[in-house]
């Protein structure tokens, strides 16, 4: 079973930036997926979609709460998807998960994603 490894979380002050990374252990990330997404889950809340990027088109989608502050990109040569997060606020505090799938369905529907990372914690203080 393929696994995703997500990393890059940490603790920052409001207004700061972080970049999360997502890679696969055994396979090429872009051969096992046509959509790679980031989800997040805050304590007591449901896991919500943050952004995704399609392969090979490169088209992206963002949640309204992060549009204009977060950017999802990919580096095929490095087998990596990134989530650049700028102007962070305390409301962005959550566990962030990378996910990948090769099936259809809405980009933000977490039930359609096959592969998941273990999560990386992002904490933003005011």
């Amino acid at each position: 079973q393929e696994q995703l490894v997500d990393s890059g979380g940490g603790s920052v002050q409001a207004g700061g930036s972080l970049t999360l990374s997502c890679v696969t252990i055994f396979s090429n990330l872009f051969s096992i997926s046509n959509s790679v997404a980031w989800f997040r889950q805050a304590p007591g809340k449901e896991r919500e979609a943050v952004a995704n990027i399609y392969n090979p088109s490169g088209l992206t989608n963002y949640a309204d709460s992060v549009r204009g502050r977060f950017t999802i990109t990919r580096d095929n040569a490095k087998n990596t998807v990134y989530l650049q997060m700028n102007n962070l606020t305390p409301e962005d505090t959550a566990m962030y998960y990378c996910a990948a799938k090769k099936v259809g369905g809405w980009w933000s529907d977490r039930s359609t994603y096959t592969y998941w990372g273990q999560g990386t914690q992002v904490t933003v203080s005011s």
Side-chain angles (χ1 to χ4, degrees), residues 2-119:
E2 180 56 84
Q3 286 182 277
L4 305 184
V5 178
D6 35 35
S7 61
S11 297
V12 297
Q13 290 191 327
S17 299
L18 285 172
T19 300
L20 307 183
S21 300
C22 175
V23 300
T24 44
I25 294 179
F26 303 113
S27 308
N28 181 287
L29 177 59
F30 306 109
S31 69
I32 65 168
S33 66
N34 62 9
S35 172
V36 179
W38 287 95
F39 289 77
R40 67 185 181 186
Q41 187 166 18
K45 295 187 176 181
E46 289 195 357
R47 192 171 299 189
E48 64 175 357
V50 175
N52 90 309
I53 186 165
Y54 286 107
N55 181 59
S57 68
L59 292 174
T60 59
N61 292 287
Y62 295 93
D64 289 343
S65 58
V66 307
R67 186 175 292 111
R69 300 187 298 122
F70 291 12
T71 304
I72 188 169
T73 59
R74 68 182 185 204
D75 185 329
N76 288 24
K78 293 184 177 180
N79 195 37
T80 303
V81 168
Y82 302 97
L83 184 69
Q84 174 69 42
M85 305 185 295
N86 298 325
N87 195 20
L88 286 160
T89 72
E91 288 69 37
D92 296 315
T93 295
M95 185 72 80
Y96 284 70
Y97 298 89
C98 175
K101 65 174 179 177
K102 204 169 186 177
V103 296
W106 195 245
W107 75 272
S108 57
D109 184 351
R110 65 179 186 267
S111 71
T112 63
Y113 283 82
T114 305
Y115 307 102
W116 289 86
Q118 79 286 358

